[in-house]
Amino acid sequence: GVIDGLTPVDDFSFNSNDMDGMNSVASLTAGKNYKVMISGEWTNRPGETVDTSYSTMDNWTTSLAGPDGGYPDDLLEVQLNNAFQNWGDYNSSHEYSLMYTPLLTAQANFRVFDGDVSTNTIDPGWYNDNIGTLNVTIEQMLY
């Protein structure tokens, strides 16, 4: 059904240790506007919890844009179609959303980025300690 001008398109989970990520079941239509929502938390290394865009070493007393230890901000962030996104400010419910308008009709791919942020190159060896899944909901905007 239609809720608040949005119609559900897809709802699935992807694993934080899957370097190829997960494609949406549905193809998203070029030029249409979609609301993409990602929620949940996963574990990167002992004591480090991560959500779509932020990480913490102290159970979210403090939230960091990148992993603790001076790593780049986009490390461990969820990518949409192999591109970094602006998921907005830290959210204590660990639910983030953005508007997405594909240029081509195709499935959308979601993955946790673990690798060299400066070259957008994943490091397969870095995915071994990623534990947990994130949930994706995609809705098409009807206006």
Side-chain angles (χ1 to χ4, degrees), residues 9-58:
V9 172
D10 219 335
D11 194 353
F12 63 94
S13 297
F14 69 96
N15 201 314
S16 61
N17 70 5
D18 184 350
M19 68 186 94
D20 296 323
M22 174 80 75
N23 287 336
S24 59
V25 176
S27 278
L28 306 185
T29 304
K32 298 285 186 183
N33 296 321
Y34 295 88
K35 181 178 181 183
V36 174
M37 292 159 287
I38 302 184
S39 61
E41 302 171 69
W42 58 278
T43 304
N44 177 50
R45 52 186 170 175
E48 183 169 44
T49 305
V50 187
D51 65 15
T52 300
S53 189
Y54 296 89
S55 56
T56 185
M57 295 293 283
D58 58 15

Side-chain angles (χ1 to χ4, degrees), residues 51-105:
D51 65 15
T52 300
S53 189
Y54 296 89
S55 56
T56 185
M57 295 293 283
D58 58 15
N59 202 28
W60 301 113
T61 300
T62 53
S63 61
L64 303 167
D68 192 36
Y71 292 97
D73 286 356
D74 288 332
L75 188 60
L76 306 183
E77 185 168 291
V78 172
Q79 288 189 319
L80 169 53
N81 293 335
N82 302 326
F84 295 107
Q85 305 296 320
N86 180 358
W87 294 106
D89 293 335
Y90 171 72
N91 178 335
S92 61
S93 68
H94 308 291
E95 297 176 352
Y96 299 86
S97 65
L98 54 75
M99 294 302 153
Y100 173 63
T101 307
L103 298 175
L104 301 171
T105 297

Side-chain angles (χ1 to χ4, degrees), residues 99-119:
M99 294 302 153
Y100 173 63
T101 307
L103 298 175
L104 301 171
T105 297
Q107 294 168 297
N109 180 271
F110 297 86
R111 73 170 176 194
V112 165
F113 181 85
D114 214 350
D116 186 337
V117 170
S118 63
T119 61

